[in-house]
Amino acid sequence: MSDIKSITLNGDPRQSPAATIADLVRELDLVPEKVAVERNGEIVPRSTLEDAPLADGDNLEIVHFVGGGDHGGAAADDTWTVAGQTFKSRLIVGTGKYKDFEQNAAAVAASGAEIVTVAVRRVNVTDPKAPMLTDFIDPKKITYLPNTAGCFTAEDAIRTLRLAREAGGWDLVKLEVLGEARTLYPNMIETIRACEVLAIEGFHPMVYCVDDPIAAKQLEDAGAVAIMPLGAPIGSGLGIQNQVTIRLIVEGANVPVLVDAGVGTASDAAVGMELGCDGILMNTAIAEAKDPIRMARAMKLAVEGGREAYLSGRMGRRKYADPSSPLAGLI
């Protein structure tokens, strides 16, 4: 009797003699400690992979972290906290669109960021020795923020983050549930539904949302640990289009608020910080710059400058001129 099993792996049919899931992972020339596995719709805890038997007909998904879509600089006592974790840098950067992982890592270092967003994707079973993001950006030194980029339903987002938690062990995650592919605007009904489920399961979701103060409050009530309104459509580089609603969200929130999406250049990041946001998340603005490393440094300085300006308290706006020097006593 043959021990060869017919399974489905990452969407493709495959035959394997492996006795356990861990054996299958090693058969693929992968390391069980660096992947997450879902079998027949259920997460298989990594601690049980050695003992989990592989059965004929199993449908498996094996994933790891890939680039997709951040240390110092600010005053030592000007930190921000989300879900009990405290950070100095108020700049979060993505890990997609770079020419390679080496450039990505250099940009993260130049930005001073302490958090990077990462996508969860199927492992490439045809080239298991291909470089991985974790080889260049150490998750022990930089906080990985798994995201649900590309998810269009609450169920897909929840499933993705369950796998992410198994792969990396993090509860702090970025939730986004998109409405459609052209605008990449969030579907707020699905987003709120996913947020409620994730919060119940012990996740700490930082949530991408529309720039709507009412939706922001609904997300906070649903368990969001941070509100992340878009400044403009993802990848557009248009800058913050509605400063009024961003400011209203900041004023009404009891959790951190970060502008997520739409930043194109350093001045856009400064504007977001001057509105009182706790931070800025960006990817394309750095990755698609002609000199990504230099732009990463610019964004670092812009976020710091905008924060200093906000804390300083800007001058009032006037309808007419007001001379810096008195006009009385002129010769």
Side-chain angles (χ1 to χ4, degrees):
M1 183 174 178
S2 173
D3 290 330
I4 300 297
K5 304 168 185 69
S6 296
I7 62 174
T8 301
L9 175 61
N10 288 358
D12 296 320
R14 185 184 182 93
Q15 293 191 322
S16 171
T20 67
I21 294 178
D23 291 337
L24 173 65
V25 172
R26 283 188 286 266
E27 176 188 313
L28 299 171
D29 209 12
L30 296 168
V31 180
E33 290 77 13
K34 291 186 177 182
V35 300
V37 180
E38 177 191 78
R39 177 175 60 184
N40 304 327
E42 297 291 333
I43 299 292
V44 183
R46 193 156 40 194
S47 60
T48 69
L49 292 180
E50 295 289 353
D51 302 315
L54 186 68
D56 194 66
D58 274 349
N59 188 338
L60 297 106
E61 294 284 344
I62 302 180
V63 306
H64 62 161
F65 292 122
V66 301
D70 306 298
H71 300 298
D77 58 347
D78 182 31
T79 60
W80 68 288
T81 301
V82 59
Q85 298 186 52
T86 300
F87 301 96
K88 293 180 180 179
S89 172
R90 294 175 180 271
L91 176 59
I92 299 175
V93 299
T95 50
K97 299 186 175 181
Y98 290 92
K99 70 177 185 179
D100 53 37
F101 287 140
E102 187 174 13
Q103 184 188 64
N104 191 171
V108 171
S111 74
E114 297 171 293
I115 304 174
V116 296
T117 60
V118 293
V120 180
R121 292 293 184 267
R122 289 170 167 172
V123 298
N124 182 359
V125 298
T126 64
D127 188 13
K129 291 301 185 182
M132 296 174 60
L133 183 67
T134 51
D135 297 328
F136 293 83
I137 300 175
D138 188 350
K140 294 180 181 178
K141 298 178 180 179
I142 302 292
T143 296
Y144 274 34
L145 186 66
N147 67 28
T148 57
C151 291
F152 291 85
T153 68
E155 287 75 19
D156 283 347
I158 293 165
R159 178 188 180 199
T160 296
L161 291 177
R162 285 170 177 164
L163 276 166
R165 179 156 63 182
E166 182 62 27
W170 294 289
D171 296 321
L172 184 65
V173 296
K174 181 192 170 188
L175 171 65
E176 59 181 71
V177 185
L178 305 174
E180 47 86 31
R182 186 174 66 89
T183 64
L184 300 181
Y185 258 58
N187 180 329
M188 291 310 301
I189 294 175
E190 293 289 284
T191 299
I192 292 171
R193 190 158 68 87
C195 185
E196 290 173 337
V197 172
L198 291 167
I200 290 171
E201 294 188 3
F203 287 93
H204 304 301
M206 300 173 67
V207 188
Y208 167 68
C209 63
V210 294
D211 55 340
D212 175 358
I214 306 304
K217 184 53 64 177
Q218 291 171 336
L219 280 172
E220 193 173 329
D221 293 340
V225 299
I227 306 300
M228 307 179 75
L230 56 82
I234 292 173
S236 67
L238 292 172
I240 297 175
Q241 295 298 292
N242 199 331
Q243 297 183 29
V244 173
T245 52
I246 299 293
R247 179 179 56 79
L248 289 174
I249 291 172
V250 170
E251 290 178 356
N254 296 305
V255 296
V257 176
L258 301 91
V259 166
D260 177 9
V263 169
T265 191
S267 57
D268 300 330
V271 167
M273 296 306 298
E274 289 170 4
L275 292 172
C277 290
D278 294 277
I280 307 289
L281 190 153
M282 66 183 70
N283 184 175
T284 307
I286 296 176
E288 290 193 356
K290 291 182 174 61
D291 185 340
I293 312 306
R294 191 165 192 165
M295 182 61 82
R297 287 196 296 269
M299 292 300 187
K300 174 179 182 287
L301 295 171
V303 168
E304 293 174 3
R307 176 66 177 170
E308 287 294 303
Y310 172 73
L311 294 176
S312 299
R314 82 177 313 281
M315 62 169 283
R317 290 180 169 87
R318 302 184 179 95
K319 291 184 177 180
Y320 305 103
D322 184 29
S324 299
S325 299
L327 296 178
L330 287 175
I331 297 174

